[in-house]
Amino acid sequence: MKRAVRGMKAGSPLQLLLLACSFALAGYAGVRLLAGDWFAVALWFVGAALVHDLVLVPLYGAVDRGVVRALGAVGTGGRREWAGYVRVPAMLSGLLLLVWFPMVSGWSAAPYASATTLSGDGFLGRWLLSTAVLFGGSALLLLVRLRRATKQRPSADH
């Protein structure tokens, strides 16, 4: 069965070329990655998968259920839909923390300073500021959508 995906038909020459290029790039990256200490890389991938599946998934699943329950307990009127306005900035903030954890925690400040001649301080403050901007922007978007929804709602006849 053929189906169009953003203007490309399944099996089109452009799609096949892009797929071949992506496989070639992934193969090149894999060869370069495993050229050094392949056992440590494989151990890291297995460890990351286990930590993610056994620790992180239950943890952020429990936090998400707590957020949904807390927003649902506030009252009726579809406030459970507000959970998305907490989920997205929390996910992006967590992703930033995951990527920059050694710098945010200060563990890599000395190697960073010796490699770049820049100070390793300030990453915690920048991550906290980024998190505040993400949650503030999400709250602002929620307020705009709530205001728009109340303006579009017809007034009640008395």
Side-chain angles (χ1 to χ4, degrees):
M1 169 175 26
K2 293 185 178 184
R3 95 185 157 141
V5 179
R6 292 188 189 171
M8 290 190 302
K9 294 180 180 177
S12 71
L14 179 60
Q15 186 179 15
L16 293 175
L17 178 66
L18 290 174
L19 188 61
C21 288
S22 67
F23 278 132
L25 182 63
Y28 173 74
V31 167
R32 292 288 305 232
L33 181 66
L34 296 174
D37 188 7
W38 68 268
F39 183 75
V41 172
L43 185 65
W44 184 86
F45 271 108
V46 170
L50 288 175
V51 167
H52 177 265
D53 292 349
L54 299 177
V55 177
L56 294 178
V57 169
L59 179 67
Y60 54 71
V63 169
D64 185 59
R65 280 191 303 276
V67 167
V68 169
R69 279 191 197 134
L71 291 174
V74 172
T76 60
R79 292 190 178 171
R80 287 177 178 254
E81 295 171 0
W82 294 2
Y85 293 94
V86 177
R87 285 179 184 143
V88 172
M91 186 265 314
L92 291 173
S93 176
L95 183 63
L96 286 172
L97 181 62
L98 180 68
V99 170
W100 294 102
F101 181 75
M103 297 304 297
V104 170
S105 66
W107 291 353
S108 296
Y112 178 79
S114 66
T116 63
T117 67
L118 299 172
S119 172
D121 300 334
F123 280 90
L124 175 62
R126 288 186 212 124
W127 175 73
L128 290 172
L129 180 63
S130 299
T131 300
V133 166
L134 287 168
F135 277 96
S138 184
L140 184 64
L141 182 62
L142 175 63
L143 287 175
V144 166
R145 289 192 176 173
L146 287 175
R147 181 182 279 286
R148 190 176 299 155
T150 56
K151 283 184 178 180
Q152 292 176 352
R153 190 178 326 153
S155 61
D157 294 329
H158 293 284

